[in-house]
Amino acid sequence: MITLTALRAFDVPIQTPCITPENFTGKSLAEIKVLPVTEGVRNLTLGDLFKIEETNDGTSNITINGDCAKVKRVGQGMKTGEITVNGNIGMHTGEKMAGGKIIVNGNAGGWTGSEMKKGTIEIHGDAGDYTASPYRGNDLGMKGGLITVDGNVGTDVGCYNQGGVIKIKGNAGRFLGFHMSDGAIYVEKDVDVRAGALMTGGKIVVGGKMEILPSFTIDNVKPKVKVDSETNVAGPFYVFLGDLSEKGTGKIFANKAANPAFKFYEKYL
Amino acid sequence: MTEILIKNGFVVDPLNKINCEKMDIAIKNGKVVAKVNEKNAQVIDAAGLTVMAGGVDIHSHVAGAEVNMGRMIRPEDHYKDPVRKTALTRCGTGYSIPSTFVTGYRYSEMGYTSVFNGSVAALKAKHAHEELNDIPLMDKATYILTGDWWFVLENLAKGDVDECARLVAWLMRATKGYAIKIVNPGGLESWGFGRNVHSIDDPVPNFGITPREIMRGLIKVNKKLNMPHTIHLHTNNLGVPGNYQTTLDTMKAFEDLSTDGKPVAHITHIQFASFKGENWGKFKSGAEEIAKYMNAHNHMTLDMGQVTFSDTTTMTADGPFEFSLYELGGHNKWVNSDVETESSGGIIPFHYKKNSPVNALQWSIGLEIALLIKDPWKIFMTTDHPNGGPFYDYPKVLAWLYSKKAREATLKKCHKSAKKKSLLPSIDRELSLYEIAIMTRAGTAKALGLPDKGHLGVGADADVAIFNINPETLDISQKFRTARKAFANAAYTIKDGTIVVKDGQVVNSQIPGRTFWVDAETKDPCKIDDEMKRKFRDYWTIEFENYPVTDHYVKVSDRLERKASV
Amino acid sequence: MSKIINNVVCPICGCLCDDLEVTVKNNEIVKMKNGCAVCEAKMVHGYKSEERILKPMIRKNGKLEPVSMDEAVKKAAQILTDAKYPLLFGWSSTVNEAQRIGVELAEELGSALDNCCSVCHGPSVMATQEVGIPAATLGQIRHRADLIVYWACNPWTSHPRHVERYTAFTDGRFEGSEWKSYMNKMKASASRKKMDIASKRIEREEAQINPQVEVNGPPPQTLQKPGRKMIVVDVRKTMSAEAADYFMQIEPNRDYDVIEALRCIVQDQELDVEKVGGVPVEYLREVADAMMKCEFGVIYFGLGMTQSLGRFRNIEVAIALARDLNRKTKFIISPMRGHFNVTGANQVFAWQTGYPYAIDFSQGYPQFNPGENTAVDLLKREDNDATLVISADPGAHFPSVVMKNMMKHPLITINPDMNAISRLGDVVFPTQWCGIEYVGTAYRMDSVPITLKKVVEAPPGVLTDEELLSKILAEVREIKKKRGLPVGLTEQKIVHTEPIEPPRVCPAPVTKPKPKKVVKKKKEAA
């Protein structure tokens, strides 16, 4: 196991796509120390920014200590192994991830798990905007895998989701699950406006307060809903179908008790 | 200026009827000369290498409003192909629509030295020239969309070809343009109200003219102006199943206009205009019919518009075509860009896939036509960059042309229905290096009317491409991958007498390249009077005086003077 | 001696009107014809401001002191090369020729590069990256449009000649002007309006606390008739709304919902709700009908849409609406770009790097991501440790927290006059007014390139943006060389110090001199 400890507080963005378990595999400590990174416009090595230690436990797992809120692209494209971050982590963590696990004991920046295919990301703090959403201009969202967030998430989370599962214990920002076509998003607390906008498939389950776009239509009321094989949530829930403007068949499950304003929809049932 | 001597290479120079002969090429002051003093010259030992003139691309969308809009809307396309800054080169991004500097570098790395920009609306010509200035290492020029320019429509409807010619001469000069480009004649004007024309005899709404009359009129104009290139035509009904008939009708409509046996029109990206079958389900190849016609007639030239199976971006001034493509579904972005009084346009990102029956057959159609037309002086190699695929797929296209083995290897992976319909298994023809040189430089230079390009005779521009192909030892049809690699990474590219690429790497990026434009001198000027200016103010939203492209916009200007007969 | 210069281009808003007639006397503009009030304010008065910077200045002991150009350039280059991660911001009020060098400078520094569009129509660009855009040049609208929708914008004040030159009040080939009927309408309602304005003034205070949507009643029947129609959609009744055939007032931040409702109606979907954004669905139905029935429709949208809740998603669905409408008729949608060359900045950045704005060069190649590399976001996270601002005034427009972060680090400014940001600068450069004192290219809101003119001489010693940036770039390369860092080659620059020659009039035979007669005629005519 490799442990990276930040040598100082970082003041400008740091890009470290080299921090992945497979990239460290088979490299000596000296080789890892000279892996290229950038601090702002400066080309540096990993050893310039982090104290690097090795614990011989036979794995290439990585632990990062210190406040790394400015450190971007950790675990980009990783396929196996585990990265544990004790502190905050910056943007694009686990981007294009295809396997393995990332645990963040702190907050994560934007685009965490962007275009992710497989694997697990556990965030024990908050997650930023565009978590699990694709890069600009792309409609290839999260294909699979699981992201759990203990805190709140920002806006535009889970856009173009094609099959991933996202579970959020706190609140979620606007445009949750924008244009998603499959997969599931579960938010235990409140969701800001325009959840499920332009969705064509998949499901969004909301335990707290929310708003429904005019382009959704009421379908029925269900007592409970299954998010994935592990999670069943008790309701009752209003079930909305949409987004009609995209001729979509996505489902939004809105908690009946938390959303008394939706009572008028019942006349259509 | 340095002198260069290229020694002992196998020279392939079809315009001078030289086929793989071992000889030296001497260069001085940016021109090919009879000889140089070996002591003063930089000597390139080209023993065992093939020496050709620099490549001349007759149709490629590399600059202009449409291209740049394509760049803007596709960050995900650039994201996968970043290009690093070096001490010699600027940084940028690549893939289907590379940034300008990268465009220049990548063309040069393949031994290309000239590129002709597919289409530009006159109103936005300044933009195209600004971009062309930022494409280093290449000579360039741009075609001007003329077919739906209101002055052309009005004068041809009146039957006043001479006045139309005078106006077109003014237009070419005002836009620093090189040739008359016609895209879906009449269709672009119709698209102004969301309509289209569906045959060459469909009337154009509000103008009392048909596509046939526009095309024939502009061929006459082209002749009267003595333009270096023929009209450059994107046919009606492009991309519509069954359109090979429209294409044949179009070609037939020009038969009587060629009086001296020379071509009168160039149909570009013929692949997209050779579809047979009533609908996409019954989609078939019209290559045989087109090739048969071309083999019997001499009044046309074509370029392929080959599909290369990549995630690319389609862009054309044919707005209605792009919308119908969008309506086929499966696309997340559609751009339409109409230009007042002149043109329309559209962009759609498109991924050509081998497992799509239509895409796979399109791939086959392009190659079928190129191989079935016997005379390589009649059809040139392009991908209609980026419509069929990016230009750096050219080596792949060449491999399919010179190696049946390469074709079979790709056809094997294609959709089974395309495999069944493809004519390729029945075609054994494999192009020689000589024929390839015709289709990529000699033939295009000739068709474009560039006497100093496309060959290596004394007096030619010193644009040279040297490839790591030994015709004596390498059987390109068998070892197609080796040759493909050689075409992708020129051993040397020489631009204007300076070595700019060595071993597929840019070694000098400081040669800006020239911009060609045509100045056709008419006997009487077209009348620029108050009436004309008033009309101009009515037709466009900018003033007459602010319309032309001034010298400010052409970094290195190369004006081609022509004497017109009107 | 006064002289009149014709066809001058107005360097203010995205309309780039190019029919100004400017009278110059003693190297001063004394009169301007054809332009709007905004244009007159800058072209006749503003550019001669007493606040004009004439000498470069460096902040010493807290005070700006005049220094030589060389000293200022050296200092600026030093700041930029010492910084770990500089930001170059602005670009929308300068010409392409300068922007080109700006990209090269950013590339050489490895810095972040962003332009003002990130705080205006950047969201529109992002939306086109998601769904594309059916657009057209302004003339296409003038000739053909019979339904013109201004959504969340107020051209009457922001683009004063937009309606008159390009849309509802201009005569096109296929569509006539609505001007006459508008005049009649205005006369009839003049007295009523006075009452309205008076009563509104009384109500205003209350209205601001709790914005109430005043539903104007159903759309008039005329919307469904042939001929040119203008609809304005906004959160408040603007001057443009007064001129419209129908004004649809919606609740603030509800543009997205209203557009989505329109999209559903266009696609024959039933809505469960009765009102969207404060507007009854039946009214929306009539508006949607008008949109589907027209021959050629257009939506122009403004900052009310790009900078309100939902940002680029608002534009995304608006574009999707226009796109859907193309299945029924011809429909176009376009942003009302603000600064005169903000479009040009997007264009130049895009052709040189592949990306329109929000670019980061720190990896040696361009990377794009609004939200990550946009100026406001970068500064908010305090990622930059030096800033260069050119031809923009973030001092007046950025959020205060962002400005506070910017001020923690060195700031270089390049602006013609002492605007808010120049006052805050550590190195302050003077520059010429482009389009008044030097020539260059700008792109109209519909991406039509137009050459700006030079009408008066700049004050002595004041350089153009292009010359200034070239000097800084050369100095940056010098410093990098001294530090043993690799530098890029200096491309041969063609600096246009002389005015662009006027376009040659057809035909211009090469061998003979220009036919003088024709040239003369042209001047008289214009």
Side-chain angles (χ1 to χ4, degrees):
Chain A
M1 191 175 78
I2 307 288
T3 307
L4 306 170
T5 310
L7 286 170
R8 53 188 160 86
F10 301 130
D11 51 357
V12 298
I14 292 176
Q15 304 225 13
T16 58
C18 62
I19 305 182
T20 62
E22 38 285 79
N23 201 19
F24 284 6
T25 310
K27 285 197 174 72
S28 69
L29 211 51
E31 281 171 320
I32 291 172
K33 269 184 187 161
V34 297
L35 285 172
V37 297
T38 58
E39 183 190 26
V41 307
R42 308 279 153 83
N43 291 311
L44 302 174
T45 62
L46 199 55
D48 294 337
L49 301 177
F50 292 93
K51 189 170 85 179
I52 306 171
E53 295 152 305
E54 191 169 10
T55 333
N56 221 339
D57 66 347
T59 70
S60 294
N61 293 348
I62 301 167
T63 304
I64 303 173
N65 298 322
D67 188 359
C68 295
K70 299 230 172 196
V71 180
K72 297 180 186 179
R73 300 185 186 277
V74 169
Q76 186 175 347
M78 72 184 269
K79 293 182 186 74
T80 56
E82 212 174 290
I83 298 178
T84 310
V85 183
N86 297 316
N88 299 333
I89 192 78
M91 294 182 181
H92 303 284
T93 304
E95 183 172 298
K96 293 203 164 93
M97 186 171 170
K101 190 171 186 180
I102 297 178
I103 301 161
V104 183
N105 294 313
N107 301 333
W111 287 275
T112 297
S114 167
E115 296 180 32
M116 171 175 179
K117 292 188 191 85
K118 241 171 141 181
T120 310
I121 300 180
E122 263 179 50
I123 300 163
H124 295 292
D126 296 340
D129 298 343
Y130 294 96
T131 296
S133 292
Y135 180 69
R136 301 288 179 195
N138 227 341
D139 57 357
L140 305 169
M142 188 178 177
K143 272 213 173 100
L146 172 71
I147 297 180
T148 59
V149 182
D150 287 355
N152 304 326
V153 294
T155 67
D156 300 83
V157 170
C159 298
Y160 294 97
N161 187 358
Q162 299 176 25
V165 177
I166 305 165
K167 295 180 195 170
I168 300 150
K169 290 200 174 133
N171 303 318
R174 58 185 179 267
F175 291 109
L176 177 78
F178 179 82
H179 225 301
M180 68 189 276
S181 56
D182 204 354
I185 302 177
Y186 171 41
V187 182
E188 293 189 21
K189 289 187 183 155
D190 301 345
V191 174
D192 203 349
V193 295
R194 292 163 204 169
L198 304 194
M199 73 193 288
T200 55
K203 60 184 149 192
I204 297 176
V205 182
V206 180
K209 264 194 290 198
M210 70 176 303
E211 247 185 57
I212 286 288
L213 280 167
S215 50
F216 279 77
T217 183
I218 186 102
D219 189 40
N220 56 23
V221 179
K222 283 214 165 143
K224 59 175 185 179
V225 59
K226 185 177 165 186
V227 176
D228 64 352
S229 53
E230 286 163 22
T231 315
N232 279 293
V233 193
F237 291 99
Y238 290 113
V239 186
F240 293 93
L241 270 181
D243 189 318
L244 298 180
S245 64
E246 292 287 313
K247 302 194 170 63
T249 52
K251 281 183 183 155
I252 296 182
F253 294 82
N255 192 310
K256 192 173 171 181
N259 293 291
F262 294 166
K263 200 161 172 55
F264 82 93
Y265 279 105
E266 288 176 12
K267 68 181 175 211
Y268 299 109
L269 290 171
Chain B
M1 206 175 252
T2 48
E3 297 173 12
I4 298 175
L5 183 64
I6 305 164
K7 284 186 80 170
N8 295 325
F10 293 98
V11 174
V12 182
D13 184 1
L15 279 165
N16 293 308
K17 307 218 160 40
I18 296 167
N19 187 1
C20 287
E21 281 173 45
K22 217 180 231 186
M23 56 195 288
D24 298 348
I25 301 287
I27 290 166
K28 193 178 177 180
N29 294 335
K31 291 277 179 187
V32 176
V33 293
K35 63 175 185 188
V36 290
N37 188 341
E38 202 173 327
K39 274 184 203 155
N40 306 330
Q42 193 176 356
V43 176
I44 295 174
D45 180 10
L49 307 179
T50 298
V51 180
M52 292 186 187
V56 179
D57 194 342
I58 197 166
H59 187 100
S60 174
H61 298 264
V62 290
E66 199 75 17
V67 176
N68 215 32
M69 189 66 194
R71 283 191 193 104
M72 260 194 240
I73 64 155
R74 294 214 65 190
E76 81 284 9
D77 184 62
H78 303 306
Y79 188 59
K80 61 189 177 199
D81 190 8
V83 179
R84 226 170 247 286
K85 171 182 182 301
T86 72
L88 292 172
T89 54
R90 297 281 301 270
C91 70
T93 46
Y95 224 67
S96 71
I97 322 154
S99 56
T100 49
F101 300 110
V102 175
T103 303
Y105 304 149
R106 289 198 172 164
Y107 257 119
S108 200
E109 283 162 8
M110 297 192 309
Y112 270 78
T113 51
S114 307
V115 59
F116 283 70
N117 192 35
S119 66
V120 161
L123 185 62
K124 294 184 175 180
K126 290 188 194 97
H127 182 169
H129 283 288
E130 281 199 290
E131 282 191 35
L132 289 177
N133 287 342
D134 276 347
I135 299 178
L137 306 179
M138 302 294 286
D139 285 345
K140 48 243 158 182
T142 188
Y143 307 142
I144 304 298
L145 288 160
T146 318
D148 290 74
W149 206 49
W150 281 3
F151 284 142
V152 163
L153 294 180
E154 286 172 351
N155 281 291
L156 290 180
K158 262 193 290 179
D160 194 345
V161 175
D162 286 3
E163 181 58 17
C164 185
R166 283 187 280 270
L167 282 158
V168 171
W170 178 84
L171 178 67
M172 287 298 145
R173 194 177 305 119
T175 54
K176 302 273 192 286
Y178 189 82
I180 295 173
K181 174 74 189 284
I182 308 173
V183 171
N184 186 5
L188 307 193
E189 168 53 37
S190 312
W191 182 242
F193 282 116
R195 293 186 276 268
N196 199 358
V197 290
H198 299 287
S199 85
I200 64 169
D201 294 312
D202 254 15
V204 181
N206 303 319
F207 281 89
I209 194 168
T210 63
R212 181 193 295 269
E213 288 158 358
I214 300 172
M215 292 185 287
R216 283 180 59 90
L218 283 172
I219 287 177
K220 289 176 195 158
V221 164
N222 203 75
K223 274 182 159 178
K224 281 184 194 271
L225 295 180
N226 191 19
M227 299 285 282
H229 186 32
T230 58
I231 62 159
H232 199 91
L233 176 66
H234 159 135
T235 49
N236 296 108
N237 279 338
L238 190 108
V240 177
N243 65 8
Y244 83 103
Q245 199 55 54
T246 315
T247 310
L248 285 177
D249 290 347
T250 308
M251 297 200 281
K252 280 177 197 156
F254 307 157
E255 271 172 21
D256 61 315
L257 292 172
S258 170
T259 45
D260 48 5
K262 282 190 189 150
V264 293
H266 176 87
I267 294 187
T268 188
H269 39 72
I270 187 72
Q271 175 269 127
F272 292 105
S274 309
F275 299 167
K276 210 167 146 182
E278 303 90 77
N279 54 41
W280 291 109
K282 293 179 185 162
F283 186 61
K284 281 201 287 277
S285 164
E288 253 181 319
E289 287 83 350
I290 300 283
K292 202 172 138 201
Y293 184 88
M294 284 300 289
N295 285 333
H297 295 85
N298 294 323
H299 66 293
M300 306 283 308
T301 54
L302 311 176
D303 69 73
M304 289 166 70
Q306 178 60 30
V307 160
T308 65
F309 299 125
S310 62
D311 184 3
T312 190
T313 312
T314 66
M315 54 177 66
T316 161
D318 195 346
F321 159 68
E322 289 286 354
F323 185 64
S324 59
L325 186 62
Y326 178 76
E327 288 296 275
L328 289 178
H331 309 289
N332 60 339
K333 306 177 196 183
W334 167 57
V335 171
N336 179 73
S337 48
D338 292 357
V339 180
E340 64 206 52
T341 322
E342 295 175 353
S343 167
S344 70
I347 303 169
I348 285 180
F350 200 98
H351 196 161
Y352 291 98
K353 290 174 180 151
K354 293 192 184 88
N355 60 11
S356 145
V358 170
N359 298 165
L361 197 59
Q362 279 185 283
W363 168 79
S364 179
I365 292 172
L367 296 172
E368 287 164 14
I369 297 180
L371 294 164
L372 289 173
I373 294 177
K374 287 177 193 137
D375 182 359
W377 295 95
K378 286 184 187 170
I379 179 153
F380 313 123
M381 194 273 295
T382 66
T383 59
D384 186 18
H385 164 80
N387 285 304
F391 66 81
Y392 29 95
D393 278 347
Y394 284 177
K396 277 196 220 166
V397 182
L398 291 179
W400 289 322
L401 289 173
Y402 62 65
S403 163
K404 188 168 189 194
K405 203 169 147 189
R407 295 199 287 271
E408 279 167 353
T410 307
L411 190 62
K412 236 196 294 180
K413 296 177 202 148
C414 284
H415 190 275
K416 62 177 188 308
S417 102
K419 257 189 264 182
K420 229 189 314 178
K421 290 177 187 171
S422 172
L423 306 173
L424 287 178
S426 67
I427 302 172
D428 291 328
R429 185 172 171 205
E430 290 179 327
L431 298 191
S432 65
L433 285 174
Y434 191 76
E435 288 170 313
I436 281 170
I438 297 171
M439 286 180 76
T440 53
R441 46 260 293 155
T444 46
K446 190 179 162 204
L448 288 163
L450 294 165
D452 297 339
K453 298 270 174 216
H455 71 103
L456 296 169
V458 170
D461 286 342
D463 294 351
V464 189
I466 306 177
F467 299 108
N468 195 359
I469 293 172
N470 186 337
E472 281 180 354
T473 57
L474 183 74
D475 179 355
I476 57 170
S477 76
Q478 287 307 306
K479 299 250 175 181
F480 68 90
R481 286 191 184 90
T482 314
R484 191 169 72 192
K485 220 168 140 192
F487 281 120
N489 300 288
Y492 291 91
T493 304
I494 297 170
K495 176 84 200 86
D496 289 334
T498 305
I499 298 175
V500 292
V501 167
K502 204 178 163 196
D503 300 325
Q505 295 288 322
V506 173
V507 292
N508 184 342
S509 64
Q510 298 298 296
I511 309 293
R514 290 170 282 165
T515 302
F516 299 115
W517 56 281
V518 174
D519 191 353
E521 194 185 323
T522 48
K523 285 180 196 136
D524 299 313
C526 73
K527 257 200 270 164
I528 306 292
D529 52 10
D530 291 356
E531 169 64 14
M532 165 85 171
K533 284 187 186 170
R534 189 193 55 74
K535 227 175 182 181
F536 206 92
R537 201 169 290 139
D538 283 350
Y539 285 7
W540 280 272
T541 46
I542 68 175
E543 295 295 311
F544 173 78
E545 196 194 306
N546 292 325
Y547 189 78
V549 176
T550 52
D551 292 345
H552 174 83
Y553 292 98
V554 187
K555 204 188 222 167
V556 188
S557 168
D558 195 331
R559 193 175 49 122
L560 272 74
E561 262 183 80
R562 311 297 282 194
K563 280 257 183 283
S565 64
V566 283
Chain C
M1 252 283 288
S2 71
K3 72 177 171 185
I4 291 176
I5 307 169
N6 283 308
N7 302 332
V8 174
V9 186
C10 166
I12 310 220
C13 79
C15 285
L16 279 183
C17 304
D18 68 335
D19 58 347
L20 310 185
E21 186 189 300
V22 170
T23 312
V24 177
K25 202 173 174 183
N26 298 330
N27 198 34
E28 261 192 18
I29 301 175
V30 290
K31 213 169 99 189
M32 192 269 308
K33 257 167 83 176
N34 295 347
C36 63
V38 188
C39 173
E40 178 151 356
K42 179 175 175 182
M43 295 278 284
V44 185
H45 311 292
Y47 88 97
K48 300 177 226 169
S49 148
E50 287 166 11
E51 298 277 354
R52 184 74 191 262
I53 309 169
L54 295 167
K55 278 219 147 237
M57 290 180 277
I58 293 181
R59 193 170 295 276
K60 290 174 182 167
N61 303 321
K63 269 182 78 180
L64 282 173
E65 286 174 21
V67 293
S68 72
M69 185 60 79
D70 276 357
E71 190 183 340
V73 167
K74 279 214 168 78
K75 177 79 182 170
Q78 198 70 44
I79 289 172
L80 292 172
T81 42
D82 283 350
K84 279 186 191 166
Y85 191 41
L87 163 69
L88 314 186
F89 176 79
W91 311 106
S92 63
S93 291
T94 186
V95 291
N96 287 8
E97 288 77 358
Q99 289 157 357
R100 287 184 69 237
I101 300 169
V103 178
E104 203 172 345
L105 177 63
E107 202 178 307
E108 191 64 64
L109 292 165
S111 72
L113 176 71
D114 191 21
N115 69 55
C116 308
C117 88
S118 68
V119 290
C120 65
H121 273 289
S124 314
V125 178
M126 285 161 72
T128 59
Q129 291 172 343
E130 302 277 324
V131 284
I133 187 166
T137 60
L138 293 163
Q140 194 78 337
I141 313 304
R142 188 177 86 188
H143 289 306
R144 300 173 202 266
D146 60 343
L147 179 68
I148 295 144
V149 182
Y150 284 103
W151 198 302
C153 56
N154 182 11
W156 205 271
T157 46
S158 65
H159 300 76
R161 295 183 73 203
H162 194 268
V163 184
E164 157 207 335
R165 256 172 82 81
Y166 307 121
T167 64
F169 294 165
T170 140
D171 274 317
R173 183 171 184 141
F174 309 113
E175 275 298 332
S177 161
E178 273 290 278
W179 181 245
K180 276 181 204 144
S181 68
Y182 170 68
M183 284 313 284
N184 292 336
K185 204 176 104 190
M186 287 305 268
K187 270 182 204 157
S189 66
S191 53
R192 185 172 56 84
K193 222 166 53 190
K194 270 182 201 154
M195 294 282 290
D196 277 1
I197 291 168
S199 61
K200 252 184 221 150
R201 204 168 288 148
I202 302 162
E203 288 166 9
R204 191 164 292 160
E205 225 163 83
E206 196 188 349
Q208 274 171 356
I209 299 161
N210 185 15
Q212 287 290 315
V213 172
E214 161 205 343
V215 176
N216 289 358
Q221 278 306 306
T222 46
L223 272 197
Q224 315 298 342
K225 292 203 175 120
R228 220 162 226 176
K229 287 137 314 211
M230 179 164 138
I231 298 176
V232 170
V233 185
D234 212 331
V235 296
R236 72 179 83 80
K237 194 161 192 176
T238 59
M239 279 301 280
S240 308
E242 302 267 341
D245 293 272
Y246 181 54
F247 167 55
M248 186 163 85
Q249 190 173 13
I250 60 172
E251 288 168 5
N253 289 328
R254 287 292 170 193
D255 304 72
Y256 185 96
D257 308 59
V258 174
I259 297 166
E260 272 294 89
L262 282 171
R263 282 190 69 207
C264 289
I265 295 167
V266 167
Q267 298 180 37
D268 286 333
Q269 303 271 14
E270 282 298 321
L271 295 181
D272 288 356
V273 290
E274 277 152 16
K275 265 188 175 187
V276 181
V279 185
V281 169
E282 62 213 85
Y283 294 1
L284 289 177
R285 223 176 273 284
E286 283 184 46
V287 171
D289 267 355
M291 286 175 161
M292 288 186 277
K293 266 190 206 156
C294 72
E295 279 272 305
F296 186 118
V298 61
I299 298 174
Y300 281 106
F301 59 90
L303 297 188
M305 202 137 58
T306 64
Q307 299 297 334
S308 62
L309 187 77
R311 300 278 191 113
F312 75 105
R313 303 286 189 209
N314 296 342
I315 318 301
E316 200 176 325
V317 286
I319 292 173
L321 170 65
R323 185 194 63 201
D324 295 347
L325 283 163
N326 269 288
R327 299 192 178 116
K328 319 257 177 193
T329 178
K330 176 92 179 179
F331 224 93
I332 295 297
I333 180 164
S334 285
M336 296 282 278
R337 303 299 299 258
H339 288 278
F340 70 89
N341 200 24
V342 63
T343 314
N346 291 151
Q347 298 284 2
V348 173
F349 290 6
W351 84 59
Q352 294 213 341
T353 71
Y355 303 121
Y357 69 107
I359 306 166
D360 159 49
F361 287 100
S362 68
Q363 305 303 297
Y365 52 81
Q367 279 189 326
F368 164 81
N369 200 1
E372 184 179 356
N373 306 326
T374 29
V376 169
D377 301 270
L378 281 168
L379 289 164
K380 196 175 155 207
R381 290 193 303 267
E382 229 192 315
D383 280 352
N384 302 107
D385 56 353
T387 314
L388 180 146
V389 174
I390 177 166
S391 72
D393 194 0
H397 301 109
F398 273 17
S400 65
V401 54
V402 166
M403 282 314 295
K404 268 182 206 151
N405 284 344
M406 190 195 275
M407 297 316 302
K408 285 181 193 162
H409 302 288
L411 170 66
I412 303 160
T413 69
I414 304 176
N415 273 313
D417 62 357
M418 256 306 171
N419 56 10
I421 196 72
S422 294
R423 277 174 223 282
L424 301 171
D426 295 299
V427 182
V428 176
F429 286 102
T431 179
Q432 299 184 12
W433 287 108
C434 56
I436 298 176
E437 291 165 351
Y438 72 102
V439 294
T441 314
Y443 282 61
R444 203 165 69 179
M445 58 166 72
D446 55 352
S447 306
V448 171
I450 298 179
T451 316
L452 304 182
K453 284 211 167 87
K454 170 179 179 165
V455 284
V456 295
E457 290 296 329
V462 175
L463 303 177
T464 65
D465 289 338
E466 195 181 349
E467 292 162 340
L468 198 53
L469 288 165
S470 301
K471 272 180 186 280
I472 296 173
L473 175 61
E475 190 59 36
V476 163
R477 284 188 168 134
E478 270 315 300
I479 296 173
K480 279 182 81 176
K481 255 186 235 161
K482 272 183 210 152
R483 290 181 188 167
L485 295 165
V487 291
L489 284 176
T490 314
E491 203 197 331
Q492 224 188 332
K493 286 279 143 43
I494 302 170
V495 179
H496 308 273
T497 43
E498 283 169 38
I500 301 173
E501 64 173 79
R504 289 193 300 149
V505 177
C506 166
V510 206
T511 43
K512 287 176 269 170
K514 264 181 230 166
K516 265 190 182 153
K517 225 168 93 191
V518 187
V519 176
K520 225 177 174 181
K521 238 184 186 177
K522 201 181 66 186
K523 273 186 184 160
E524 281 161 15

